[in-house]
Amino acid sequence: MLTPVPAGWWFDALLVAAFAALTAALAWSPPLLRLDIAVRDWCDAHRPPPVYVVMRILDGFGQGGPLTTVTVLVSGWLAWRHRTVRPIVLAGLAPIVSTLLIVGLKRWTSRGAPHHGSAGMYGDGWEEYYPSGHVSNAVVYHTVLAVLLAPYLAAAPRRLLQWLPGPLAFTGATYLSYHWLTDSIGGYLLGLLIARLLLRLPWRTLPLPRRLDRRPP
């Protein structure tokens, strides 16, 4: 079995508080913005071609389109194999919850990218880069894949699938200056929160019409 449903809500509340504190600090703390700029400038000055290629690969762990496609294909295969739509319920909720939260927060904060737009929050431009959707996607979708594939994976590969892609996408997106450092931190916090909420979903026991759940007794 995968990690059980998270016990209690204290860590979820901590994630919400940390994300809120980070967002407030970005709006009112110039030193934090200077840290973002310093990290961007260092990365821009230390990006040899071989490392650039590696970081592009790491950044790919957070690409929403391919991740959604893989998750849907895996859930569809499991639904066909076990004659139930239950895997599709979990896989279908992941992009819905992620899109509502991430896109809503991006539009609300209106933050620019490291190489265009403002580093500050609540700008007048079209930029929508906070929090990082790449990093959040890497955490959320790989957690869903780890849950779906839990019966077919040993414990070590399952944990790697669940926990490794998030830090890899964080590193790639930040190093390539696709996102500010704090964008990636916010995306990771939000991704953990969404993943924990999805782990609480009783998708294995959710009452469904018999025509949608034809598993053998």
Side-chain angles (χ1 to χ4, degrees), residues 20-38 111 118-122 180 182:
L22 176 65
T23 305
L26 285 170
W28 295 304
S29 176
L32 197 56
L33 297 182
R34 288 196 290 269
L35 173 63
D36 272 335
I37 293 171
R111 191 186 195 191
S118 171
M121 307 282 274
Y122 311 114
W180 302 103
T182 50

Side-chain angles (χ1 to χ4, degrees), residues 179-202:
H179 280 284
W180 302 103
L181 172 65
T182 50
D183 291 347
S184 297
I185 294 174
Y188 196 84
L189 293 173
L190 191 62
L192 285 177
L193 177 64
I194 296 172
R196 288 174 62 85
L197 293 177
L198 292 174
L199 286 175
R200 295 179 185 279
L201 179 71

Side-chain angles (χ1 to χ4, degrees), residues 37 40 46 48 62 71 78 93 105 112 116 137 145-146 150 180 182 187 207:
I37 293 171
R40 179 203 62 185
H46 299 81
T71 305
L78 291 171
L93 276 176
L105 286 167
H116 56 84
N137 286 339
L145 286 172
W180 302 103
T182 50

Side-chain angles (χ1 to χ4, degrees), residues 49-126:
V51 178
Y52 172 82
V53 172
V54 172
M55 292 300 164
R56 283 293 300 270
I57 295 172
L58 298 188
D59 180 68
F61 281 96
Q63 290 285 353
L67 283 174
T68 302
T69 300
V70 171
T71 305
V72 168
L73 289 176
V74 169
S75 66
W77 174 73
L78 291 171
W80 172 79
R81 179 180 176 87
H82 297 286
R83 295 189 293 172
T84 176
V85 300
R86 293 181 184 278
I88 297 176
V89 172
L90 178 62
L93 276 176
I96 294 173
V97 175
S98 292
T99 299
L100 288 175
L101 283 178
I102 294 172
V103 173
L105 286 167
K106 282 177 178 288
R107 292 182 176 177
W108 176 54
T109 54
S110 299
R111 191 186 195 191
H115 289 295
H116 56 84
S118 171
M121 307 282 274
Y122 311 114
D124 296 327
W126 58 268

Side-chain angles (χ1 to χ4, degrees), residues 102-178:
I102 294 172
V103 173
L105 286 167
K106 282 177 178 288
R107 292 182 176 177
W108 176 54
T109 54
S110 299
R111 191 186 195 191
H115 289 295
H116 56 84
S118 171
M121 307 282 274
Y122 311 114
D124 296 327
W126 58 268
E127 293 88 355
E128 299 170 355
Y129 282 85
Y130 175 86
S132 169
H134 267 62
V135 177
S136 179
N137 286 339
V139 177
V140 172
Y141 285 98
H142 287 93
T143 294
V144 170
L145 286 172
V147 172
L148 293 175
L149 296 174
Y152 307 96
L153 295 175
R158 191 173 64 235
R159 293 192 185 100
L160 286 175
L161 175 62
Q162 182 176 5
W163 296 112
L164 185 59
L168 294 182
F170 184 112
T171 303
T174 306
Y175 182 84
L176 295 171
S177 295
Y178 292 165

